[in-house]
Amino acid sequence: MVTIFTRPDSMFDTPTHYCPGCTHGVAHRLVAEVIDELGIKDKTVGVAPVGCAVLIYNYMNTDFVEGSHGRAPASATGIKRSRPDLVVYTYQGDGDLASIGAAEIVHAANRGEKITVVFINNAIYGMTGGQMAPTTLPGQKTTTSPKGRDVNHIGYPIRMAELLATLKTPGYIVRSSLHDPYHIAMAKKAIKQAFIYQLEGKAFSMVELLSTCPTNWGMTPYQATQWLKENMLQYYPLGVFKTPEDE
Amino acid sequence: MAKKLMKGAEAIGEAAIRAGCRHYFGYPITPQSEIAEYLSRRMPEVGGVFLQAESEVAASNMLFGAAATGTRVMTSSSSPGISLMAEAFSYMVGAEVPAVVVNAMRGGPGLGGILPSQSDYFQATKANGHGDVHFIVLAPASLQESVEHVMMAFPLAEKYRNPVMIVADGLVVQMMESVDFDIVETTDPPDVEDWAATGTKGRRERNLVKSLFLDPLGLEEHNRKLRRKYDEMEENEVRYEEVLIEDDTKLVAVAYGTTSRVVRSVVEELRGEGYPVGLFRPITLYPFAYDRLREISKRDSVKGFMSIEMSTGQMIYDVRLAVQDLKPVGFFGRQGGIIPTPDDVRKAMLQELEKLGG
């Protein structure tokens, strides 16, 4: 019998705690497949965020450090600067990266830290129970914006990929989406390229992944992917915003 | 090497390098920015890494990251910056990683001032972060001692897999004195493969450096494990110095760091004049020398204690815990960055002596 599809070697054989339809599982798997394909499992150190994905280390079979809230890029900097031979990546949600950790991500990118950041943007706080994120769309209802996000009260959602792409320091900044198989395949390509840039010692890299949170969006998994497609893609255009080769 | 005249900040930076530290993350803050300045020059010379972070919050989390790989790493700051680092400090204790932190204490609260102070005693000894958290806290009174403390802090941190803090007030960091680096033995870093995030290299199960324990029984067990380490510190690491505490000593002044130098000169002077006074100088603020102070307090000759600090009275609580109700504990302090003068201390001690019946 020929095995044509199996669990990546970099993942443990265990069920996840994620809700049905949540795209964290897909994102984890893409990272694990890339780690396998690049043969870097034995020298990879992940930095976990605070949020739903804090338990990522229960699923990924590599060394891991659990960062404090939003500071994963700083801790990743400490790891990479003390052990440049390691492959270091952070995996962060939108509250962790774009709100409490806004300073750390901007400065890690601006220093050109040779780390990779996987940024899960699902436009809501997951673990704390569906509160507004800095990436929550205008008008989007959450438990702390019950009448919908009012941009006059709280401003517009932050587009992190665009923001980081304005930095002069070379970097690889991409936004992908996990709402259908085609885009998932594209997302994997981006994640792989991001790790390759790190392995080449070239640049800081961040892949933003538009993701779903059916539980806190109050939708079925299918409705959630449709909502992402119809609403998030307009506000958060996909694409490569910056490469190390740019002038 | 012969003795060398150095500024405190530079001696502290050089001591870290002599101790085998090759990684420093920090953020400038008066009165200790010279530590960062010195290491920004010196680290590249020895193949090390100096990195100026965007904030103390980031610097301390870089410290955490480097420490999580088992690398000898140090940061330094001053009071307001230390408050910002408290978050990472707590994670580091929880995740059991070794690191060295220097706090050049300045006057608070808030932005306070930039002159020497000892008003972070509570924070350093009782509250370096949320949760059941302790650091070993060393309080040098001279540059030579600062050098020794920095150099011994690394192996101490590694022994307990817990951060160690050196509380040097602004004066220690800013003054010049002669130092000798060679009298402290250097050690090799221990093997960290059983816990650190260094990549599995295909040789071992993966390591996880973390502080989250969602299961209450698991977290309780973890806290008890940490407590056992604190117990070991309290058993093995208490350090202090006694100056002129003799059979006839009536009043025992308790002072540390810069203040202890002033008190020492006053105690020596008063002794010369026949006054029965002595000085007890805690060298580790945590663990505190409760047992030794209690023993002294039981002596019939000893009539009272006096805590002398550059704060409104923080260490005095530990002195009282040690002495309990056996003997009275007086207080003298200056605040705001003012170092008590020998005259101030002399007057205060003579008054206290009089209260105790001469």
Side-chain angles (χ1 to χ4, degrees):
Chain A
M1 194 179 69
V2 179
T3 305
I4 56 165
F5 187 80
T6 186
R7 185 179 294 276
D9 190 39
S10 301
M11 290 192 93
F12 291 116
D13 186 3
T14 181
T16 73
H17 70 293
Y18 298 117
C19 304
C22 166
T23 42
H24 268 311
V26 176
H28 285 15
R29 185 183 169 99
L30 295 185
V31 173
E33 286 180 358
V34 166
I35 290 172
D36 279 8
E37 287 168 21
L38 295 173
I40 53 175
K41 178 183 167 219
D42 292 342
K43 58 172 182 174
T44 292
V45 175
V47 184
V50 171
C52 290
V54 62
L55 296 177
I56 183 174
Y57 47 68
N58 285 352
Y59 316 125
M60 305 295 264
N61 185 9
T62 68
D63 279 3
F64 245 95
V65 176
E66 179 192 84
S68 55
H69 203 181
R71 323 295 176 215
S75 291
T77 297
I79 297 167
K80 188 73 179 183
R81 294 274 181 157
S82 55
R83 292 292 305 270
D85 54 312
L86 298 174
V87 177
V88 183
Y89 77 98
T90 72
Y91 185 104
Q92 303 174 260
D94 43 45
D96 191 84
L97 181 140
S99 186
I100 196 167
E104 284 75 17
I105 188 65
V106 168
H107 286 275
N110 196 51
R111 286 190 303 269
E113 296 297 342
K114 308 301 181 290
I115 60 171
T116 298
V117 173
V118 178
F119 169 36
I120 304 297
N121 178 2
N122 59 11
I124 205 159
Y125 280 48
M127 190 172 69
T128 46
Q131 294 82 16
M132 185 179 59
T135 52
T136 292
L137 291 180
Q140 185 185 342
K141 287 183 180 170
T142 71
T143 58
T144 51
S145 57
K147 294 181 174 170
R149 180 181 185 132
D150 175 0
V151 296
N152 293 316
H153 170 64
I154 201 78
Y156 284 85
I158 299 180
R159 296 183 175 112
M160 286 307 295
E162 286 87 334
L163 192 148
L164 295 185
T166 65
L167 299 172
K168 173 81 176 152
T169 308
Y172 177 64
I173 310 289
V174 183
R175 182 181 291 120
S176 302
S177 180
L178 302 177
H179 68 281
D180 65 24
Y182 168 76
H183 286 92
I184 289 170
M186 296 297 284
K188 182 177 167 186
K189 272 179 77 174
I191 294 169
K192 192 165 182 178
Q193 187 58 54
F195 276 93
I196 288 171
Y197 277 128
Q198 179 178 173
L199 285 166
E200 292 173 347
K202 265 199 181 140
F204 170 88
S205 52
M206 184 185 84
V207 181
E208 175 174 343
L209 298 171
L210 300 184
S211 302
T212 61
C213 181
T215 298
N216 288 303
W217 289 358
M219 298 177 192
T220 66
Y222 177 72
Q223 286 170 338
T225 53
Q226 290 305 109
W227 190 86
L228 186 163
K229 201 165 115 186
E230 285 158 19
N231 298 280
M232 290 182 76
L233 289 181
Q234 273 80 56
Y235 193 87
Y236 297 112
L238 307 183
V240 179
F241 291 86
K242 187 180 166 89
T243 73
E245 289 78 27
D246 294 349
E247 273 300 298
Chain B
M1 195 184 84
K3 284 194 169 187
K4 202 175 164 187
L5 187 67
M6 285 184 95
K7 190 170 176 175
E10 301 191 338
I12 286 168
E14 185 60 28
I17 286 173
R18 302 289 176 118
C21 171
R22 291 292 178 274
H23 293 80
Y24 173 93
F25 302 94
Y27 185 79
I29 182 170
T30 307
Q32 61 76 57
S33 302
E34 292 89 339
I35 297 177
E37 288 171 356
Y38 181 78
L39 289 173
S40 73
R41 294 195 300 275
R42 194 74 177 94
M43 277 298 186
E45 289 175 5
V46 294
V49 171
F50 163 88
L51 191 67
Q52 179 170 327
E54 63 270 30
S55 66
E56 286 91 348
V57 173
S60 55
N61 281 281
M62 291 172 186
L63 184 83
F64 176 26
T69 67
T71 299
R72 280 191 173 163
V73 62
M74 182 171 93
T75 191
S76 62
S77 191
S78 178
S79 311
I82 293 292
S83 290
L84 286 171
M85 292 181 171
E87 178 197 43
F89 290 169
S90 175
Y91 279 71
M92 291 170 77
V93 169
E96 297 188 85
V97 299
V100 174
V101 178
V102 176
N103 178 8
M105 292 187 282
R106 60 185 244 186
L111 207 47
I114 59 169
L115 294 173
S117 172
Q118 297 180 319
S119 50
D120 298 347
Y121 182 94
F122 285 152
Q123 187 184 37
T125 59
K126 320 270 189 273
N128 264 322
H130 61 278
D132 272 332
V133 159
H134 280 295
F135 284 14
I136 292 175
V137 181
L138 299 160
S142 67
L143 280 207
Q144 181 60 37
E145 202 174 30
S146 302
V147 163
E148 291 166 21
H149 284 180
V150 169
M151 293 181 75
M152 68 193 232
F154 289 96
L156 264 181
E158 286 154 1
K159 177 179 174 187
Y160 293 100
R161 273 177 58 194
N162 195 78
V164 172
M165 178 177 275
I166 292 137
V167 287
D169 62 62
L171 185 75
V172 171
V173 170
Q174 289 295 328
M175 69 184 176
M176 289 187 85
E177 274 183 343
S178 64
V179 293
D180 184 349
F181 294 99
D182 292 340
I183 63 169
V184 188
E185 243 177 85
T186 53
T187 57
D188 291 327
D191 181 29
V192 296
E193 279 306 312
D194 60 329
W195 65 268
T198 54
T200 60
K201 300 173 209 72
R203 289 201 306 258
R204 57 160 171 81
E205 295 290 295
R206 64 84 177 262
N207 286 333
L208 196 50
V209 180
K210 64 154 190 160
S211 60
L212 179 71
F213 294 83
L214 284 173
D215 165 32
L217 287 173
L219 183 56
E220 183 176 59
E221 191 186 320
H222 182 58
N223 269 280
R224 287 179 176 171
K225 180 187 172 198
L226 295 178
R227 181 64 242 178
R228 285 193 293 277
K229 292 205 295 188
Y230 305 147
D231 288 344
E232 261 183 71
M233 294 173 194
E234 291 175 11
E235 182 70 30
N236 302 321
E237 309 302 344
V238 176
R239 289 169 172 81
Y240 55 86
E241 183 191 7
E242 294 174 23
V243 182
L244 298 169
I245 298 178
E246 290 166 5
D247 291 345
D248 66 337
T249 299
K250 246 180 165 173
L251 173 62
V252 177
V254 186
Y256 69 95
T258 292
T259 311
S260 72
R261 294 172 69 134
V262 180
V263 177
R264 179 194 294 263
S265 66
V266 172
V267 162
E268 284 169 354
E269 183 185 279
L270 288 176
R271 261 288 166 186
E273 296 168 28
Y275 292 102
V277 295
L279 164 66
F280 187 88
R281 178 171 79 94
I283 295 172
T284 50
L285 303 186
Y286 179 85
F288 191 78
Y290 292 113
D291 292 348
R292 182 59 188 154
L293 263 181
R294 179 131 183 95
E295 277 169 32
I296 294 170
S297 71
K298 285 179 179 164
R299 293 184 190 170
D300 290 338
S301 59
V302 171
K303 301 298 178 202
F305 291 79
M306 185 175 196
S307 191
I308 304 179
E309 310 173 43
M310 289 193 283
S311 76
T312 56
Q314 299 193 15
M315 182 176 64
I316 187 173
Y317 287 83
D318 279 331
V319 178
R320 281 188 182 140
L321 265 179
V323 172
Q324 295 180 17
D325 291 330
L326 287 180
K327 302 285 159 69
V329 182
F331 177 75
F332 177 72
R334 294 299 303 266
Q335 301 86 32
I338 298 164
I339 299 165
T341 64
D343 272 357
D344 288 342
V345 172
R346 183 188 166 93
K347 263 184 224 153
M349 285 187 71
L350 285 175
Q351 269 175 17
E352 194 68 22
L353 204 54
E354 204 168 316
K355 268 198 240 165
L356 302 174

